[in-house]
Amino acid sequence: MREQLELLIELQKTESAAGRIIARKRELPVRMNGREEEFKACCAAVEKEKEKLEALRKNRREKDAHLQKGQESLKRSRERLFEVKTNKEYQSILKEIETFEEKNSRMEDEIISLLDELDQLEASVKKKEEELDSHRLRYEGEKKQMTEELGALAGELESCLSKSADLKKAIPADILRKYEQIKNSGRGVAVVSVWKEVCYGCHMSIPPQLYNQLQKSQTLITCPNCSRIIYWEHRDA
Ligand SMILES: [Zn+2]
């Protein structure tokens, strides 16, 4: 009986390990998608900031062109001052010059404040791009690690399943049926250890007499509380 119990314990451990591998195989792609979404969102945020910067640069080029035109107009008006014949004409060109000067001065002020804004945005884009670079490194590292783990899990699962199949062949049919029944009844784990009279399946105490019997392990014993197959195992904790 001890040998069959050993096989059952081994089968339970192997199937539990397979279960953990399957859960991990499900969990990893979900986590990988999450990381990918985070990274994409980060890329999009930087891209938006760069578009804003580009728009601001375009605005600056337009204002520069505007100012240049204004300065040319001003220059032309000043030249015309020397060609005028009447005082009335002279006064009118002076007025024109004044208007151009005001307009140009306003444009210069606008450009100066735009340059401040540009400086700030350029610094912010640079900082965000650096952050994105380190995010990319982190993301790619994690992705590589997860991909490798997924690859390794496939092999580990394969060997667990083949080990389970071999163990099942070695276990008598009636005992195996009992094992499957418990496992499939919603209790998940069919074989659990008991230490200091406590069942590790349901965490309830088992009667002392049964505990003594279990330590001798002459028959297949089930927990009176949770009906799982139990075995005695020394634990340090
Ligand atoms: Zn129990």
Side-chain angles (χ1 to χ4, degrees):
M1 187 46 72
R2 184 70 210 176
E3 193 200 334
Q4 281 165 12
L5 185 60
E6 294 290 353
L7 289 174
L8 278 177
I9 293 168
E10 196 56 27
L11 177 61
Q12 180 61 71
K13 282 181 176 167
T14 308
E15 292 201 328
S16 292
R20 282 192 296 272
I21 293 170
I22 289 167
R24 185 85 180 137
K25 275 183 82 177
R26 269 198 219 110
E27 177 201 324
L28 275 176
V30 174
R31 194 192 288 188
M32 210 137 90
N33 278 343
R35 293 286 186 276
E36 195 181 337
E37 290 306 315
E38 273 170 27
F39 180 64
K40 277 184 178 167
C42 204
C43 287
V46 173
E47 219 34 64
K48 211 172 161 189
E49 195 91 339
K50 280 162 90 176
E51 278 167 19
K52 214 167 123 191
L53 179 61
E54 218 28 74
L56 217 57
R57 281 175 175 155
K58 188 172 170 246
N59 195 356
R60 192 217 154 157
R61 284 194 298 274
E62 285 165 0
K63 283 196 187 329
D64 277 344
H66 227 82
L67 178 62
Q68 206 186 343
K69 260 187 178 169
Q71 281 165 341
E72 281 160 12
S73 303
L74 180 62
K75 198 177 154 219
R76 273 197 305 277
S77 297
R78 279 178 177 151
E79 283 164 0
R80 279 173 56 213
L81 264 186
F82 301 103
E83 298 157 9
V84 296
K85 308 255 176 346
T86 66
N87 188 42
K88 199 183 163 205
E89 239 182 311
Y90 188 78
Q91 291 303 325
S92 135
I93 294 178
L94 275 187
K95 183 81 196 144
E96 199 180 275
I97 287 173
E98 201 185 320
T99 310
F100 280 135
E101 277 173 346
E102 277 170 12
K103 266 172 84 177
N104 288 351
S105 162
R106 264 204 310 278
M107 192 51 72
E108 276 165 358
D109 288 346
E110 282 179 31
I111 290 173
I112 286 168
S113 89
L114 198 60
L115 286 179
D116 276 346
E117 217 182 315
L118 263 173
D119 275 350
Q120 283 174 16
L121 197 57
E122 271 166 1
S124 155
V125 166
K126 188 168 179 277
K127 188 167 168 263
K128 287 206 163 84
E129 279 184 320
E130 282 166 4
E131 282 167 3
L132 184 65
D133 280 344
S134 63
H135 190 162
R136 177 179 294 112
L137 276 180
R138 204 168 59 239
Y139 164 67
E140 280 169 0
E142 276 181 324
K143 193 178 160 186
K144 184 168 176 272
Q145 202 183 357
M146 285 192 263
T147 308
E148 282 170 1
E149 192 183 339
L150 265 179
L153 286 177
E156 284 171 34
L157 182 60
E158 185 84 15
S159 74
C160 274
L161 294 179
S162 93
K163 190 178 172 187
S164 294
D166 288 345
L167 285 166
K168 281 178 181 175
K169 276 179 220 154
I171 297 170
D174 56 332
I175 294 178
L176 187 61
R177 203 159 42 240
K178 191 177 172 76
Y179 169 89
E180 300 281 3
Q181 259 170 17
I182 301 171
K183 203 182 82 180
N184 296 329
S185 67
R187 277 165 287 180
V189 178
V191 185
V192 295
S193 63
V194 171
W195 172 240
K196 288 186 175 170
E197 296 178 13
V198 174
C199 165
Y200 277 79
C202 61
H203 303 283
M204 303 283 278
S205 297
I206 62 164
Q209 200 190 339
L210 190 63
Y211 190 59
N212 287 336
Q213 203 186 330
L214 190 65
Q215 280 169 286
K216 293 176 199 121
S217 89
Q218 295 309 313
T219 53
L220 212 59
I221 297 172
T222 54
C223 170
N225 284 306
C226 66
S227 306
R228 291 182 175 97
I229 298 162
I230 49 178
Y231 63 96
W232 180 78
E233 185 181 64
H234 175 88
R235 288 184 184 225
D236 290 324

